[in-house]
Amino acid sequence: MFWSIYKNMKKLLIFAEYGFTVAALLIYSGAILTVLLSGGALQQDQGEYDSSSIRIIYSLIYAVTFLLLVLRWKKTLYILSKGFWFYPIFILAAVSIIWSAEPSTTLKNSFTLINSSLFGLYFASRYSLKQQFHLLAWVFGIIMILSIFFAIALPQYGIQSDVGKWRGVFTHKNGLGARMVISSIVFLILGYESKRYSWLFWGGFSLSILLLLLAGSASSLVNLVILIFAFFAFQIWRWSYSIMIPTLIIMATISQILYFWLSNGADVVFTALGKDSTLTGRTDLWPLVMDMIWKRPWLGYGYGGFWLGWNGESAYIWLNAGWLAPHPHNGYLALCLDLGFVGLGIFLLGFWHTYLQALTWVRRSTTALDIWPLIHMTYIALASLTESALLESNSLNWILYVALSFSVRMTHETRIINAKKKLQDRFYKV
């Protein structure tokens, strides 16, 4: 009887932990909370609502995450020992309080960056890559269902009134578009990989694309097309060198031709996408951002110490740009503003190291699921060209990057150890 009670309690705790993980991922995705608390206000008009409840929810997530890591402290310490390439950027962000233009904001943002990164660590240590993927499918499934409900039943929340586009459970149509890019790739890989319930995954893929189109996010649509192409292109990396190298050369040649064609016909392309040549004011914004970067080029203004509206250094950009940009709309420029070229260089070194490991992983694997780390990092690099999607605290993109980096590193080392064991076994047999 006691054994039966123990087993039931264990199942209940596992189910509760799964529920916590899905709920936390939903919060980190930016879904539901802000759009509800702001009463469906437009993104530029959301400065008036009380965000204390959001801070409380994040604090609870931090506390539960820390507790779960402590309960598995041996595995936590083991994984932490594999993350040395992450620590310099965290240290720089925290130390930047010394030269920050707004020390209190830097302190708060550094705290949230470290805590949200700990959730990425927990996600990698607790769940296998396959389990992570299925949890993400649940998260995006919930987001899609709620987005449809909000847009149809609660249009004051689900429709962005100034442009008449769907925003679902997010504060801006681009938020829905960005999440549907990742959702499309998740369901594409699951549909491509799974034999059972493949119809359900392809349905999720189709619904993700439909919501992306209803959001009218042109940059997200372009990113999705590139990522779908990349998903199939990365599989070429597994072919034999005699076939792979000529194929990659042909693809590179075609890409160059397309690049020159698109460059010459940029106006036509922008018109077809419903955009102008300034990318909705972004190209007018970026020179102003560069002016401010060159004032503090090496270490920046401190993590989160620049973009503070009229109260910060960003007031110069608001005055000269002619519109109230919520951020630089470029992740690389945002990182330079925060931590300078030193911070950007440290981040890119770690990113490139993980990217190369993910490439090696794809080369030695056979499943579509193993391409996911490479695809997500490619997405971050693409999305950061038009949005501030790099070193962003409490962000799903950052959390998944942390989790996938640890997953790739652990799998890479496990394969090296297994390969050495096989060689030793062969040697002893001889």
Side-chain angles (χ1 to χ4, degrees):
M1 181 179 177
F2 290 107
W3 179 247
S4 165
I5 294 173
Y6 170 77
K7 288 177 67 177
N8 289 332
M9 284 295 295
K10 187 176 180 180
K11 288 180 181 178
L12 183 62
L13 288 173
I14 292 173
F15 181 78
E17 189 173 1
Y18 271 70
F20 162 74
T21 304
V22 169
L25 289 170
L26 275 171
I27 301 300
Y28 282 126
S29 74
I32 305 171
L33 283 181
T34 305
V35 71
L36 282 178
L37 291 174
S38 64
L42 297 174
Q43 190 178 56
Q44 62 269 25
D45 300 325
Q46 290 175 357
E48 302 298 325
Y49 75 93
D50 182 11
S51 61
S52 58
S53 56
I54 294 180
R55 291 195 294 272
I56 292 171
I57 290 172
Y58 275 124
S59 297
L60 288 173
I61 293 174
Y62 299 158
V64 174
T65 301
F66 185 77
L67 175 63
L68 291 171
L69 286 172
V70 169
L71 289 174
R72 301 184 180 93
W73 62 274
K74 288 185 178 179
K75 191 166 186 180
T76 300
L77 290 176
Y78 170 75
I79 296 176
L80 281 172
S81 70
K82 308 301 177 185
F84 290 109
W85 75 100
F86 268 128
Y87 301 150
I89 197 69
F90 291 140
I91 293 170
L92 185 63
V95 172
S96 69
I97 191 175
I98 298 171
W99 62 84
S100 174
E102 189 64 34
S104 60
T105 301
T106 298
L107 179 63
K108 180 189 72 174
N109 286 4
S110 299
F111 176 77
T112 58
L113 176 67
I114 292 171
N115 277 283
S116 53
S117 299
L118 285 176
F119 184 84
L121 171 67
Y122 158 73
F123 197 48
S125 64
R126 173 62 180 85
Y127 304 103
S128 67
L129 189 64
K130 186 175 182 179
Q131 289 174 321
Q132 292 175 32
F133 217 64
H134 282 93
L135 286 169
L136 286 174
W138 275 103
V139 169
F140 289 120
I142 293 170
I143 287 174
M144 287 190 290
I145 291 169
L146 289 178
S147 291
I148 293 170
F149 174 77
F150 271 52
I152 295 174
L154 303 169
Q156 70 271 27
Y157 295 104
I159 303 293
Q160 188 170 319
S161 57
D162 59 338
V163 292
K165 298 292 185 180
W166 283 34
R167 66 178 181 182
V169 290
F170 298 93
T171 58
H172 196 277
K173 67 183 185 68
N174 287 341
L176 177 61
R179 293 294 171 252
M180 289 304 100
V181 173
I182 307 177
S183 177
S184 298
I185 296 300
V186 166
F187 284 109
L188 169 66
I189 294 175
L190 285 172
Y192 190 86
E193 185 78 12
S194 303
K195 294 180 180 178
R196 296 180 62 190
Y197 308 115
S198 60
W199 61 271
L200 183 61
F201 298 132
W202 287 117
F205 173 71
S206 302
L207 188 56
S208 300
I209 293 178
L210 176 61
L211 286 172
L212 194 158
L213 294 173
L214 290 170
S217 178
S219 58
S220 293
L221 182 60
V222 171
N223 288 340
L224 177 59
V225 172
I226 294 173
L227 290 177
I228 291 174
F229 175 79
F231 170 70
F232 292 102
F234 285 141
Q235 297 190 56
I236 297 172
W237 190 246
R238 293 168 170 164
W239 296 357
S240 64
Y241 287 111
S242 59
I243 302 174
M244 179 185 70
I245 293 175
T247 304
L248 291 177
I249 291 173
I250 293 171
M251 290 177 64
T253 304
I254 294 172
S255 298
Q256 285 292 325
I257 294 171
L258 287 173
Y259 172 76
F260 286 119
W261 179 76
L262 291 173
S263 298
N264 293 327
D267 292 337
V268 176
V269 174
F270 287 135
T271 302
L273 293 172
K275 294 282 185 180
D276 55 39
S277 58
T278 67
L279 296 176
T280 322
R282 287 176 173 85
T283 57
D284 295 332
L285 183 70
W286 293 337
L288 298 172
V289 173
M290 285 302 304
D291 289 342
M292 299 305 291
I293 288 173
W294 285 117
K295 289 185 177 181
R296 292 194 182 184
W298 298 114
L299 295 174
Y301 295 80
Y303 184 58
F306 180 85
W307 215 272
L308 301 171
W310 293 114
N311 298 320
E313 299 286 344
S314 53
Y316 164 81
I317 294 176
W318 278 17
L319 282 170
N320 291 277
W323 62 293
L324 306 182
H327 48 74
H329 284 282
N330 184 288
Y332 307 101
L333 295 181
L335 187 50
C336 283
L337 285 172
D338 284 341
L339 300 175
F341 292 122
V342 172
L344 180 63
I346 290 173
F347 174 83
L348 291 178
L349 281 174
F351 188 88
W352 180 242
H353 183 262
T354 306
Y355 201 88
L356 289 178
Q357 284 192 329
L359 271 173
T360 304
W361 189 359
V362 169
R363 178 69 179 168
R364 296 175 179 177
S365 63
T366 56
T367 67
L369 182 60
D370 290 318
I371 301 176
W372 165 239
L374 203 55
I375 286 288
H376 184 67
M377 284 188 285
T378 302
Y379 169 71
I380 290 176
L382 285 173
S384 296
L385 294 173
T386 54
E387 297 296 335
S388 301
L390 280 183
L391 194 65
E392 191 177 7
S393 62
N394 289 341
S395 162
L396 183 64
N397 284 339
W398 175 254
I399 286 168
L400 292 181
Y401 168 61
V402 172
L404 291 172
S405 297
F406 279 115
S407 296
V408 168
R409 172 60 67 90
M410 288 188 296
T411 304
H412 182 72
E413 291 194 357
T414 300
R415 285 177 175 169
I416 291 175
I417 291 170
N418 291 338
K420 287 181 178 179
K421 285 183 178 178
K422 286 182 180 179
L423 287 174
Q424 288 175 353
D425 291 341
R426 288 179 183 176
F427 175 79
Y428 288 128
K429 284 180 180 179
V430 173

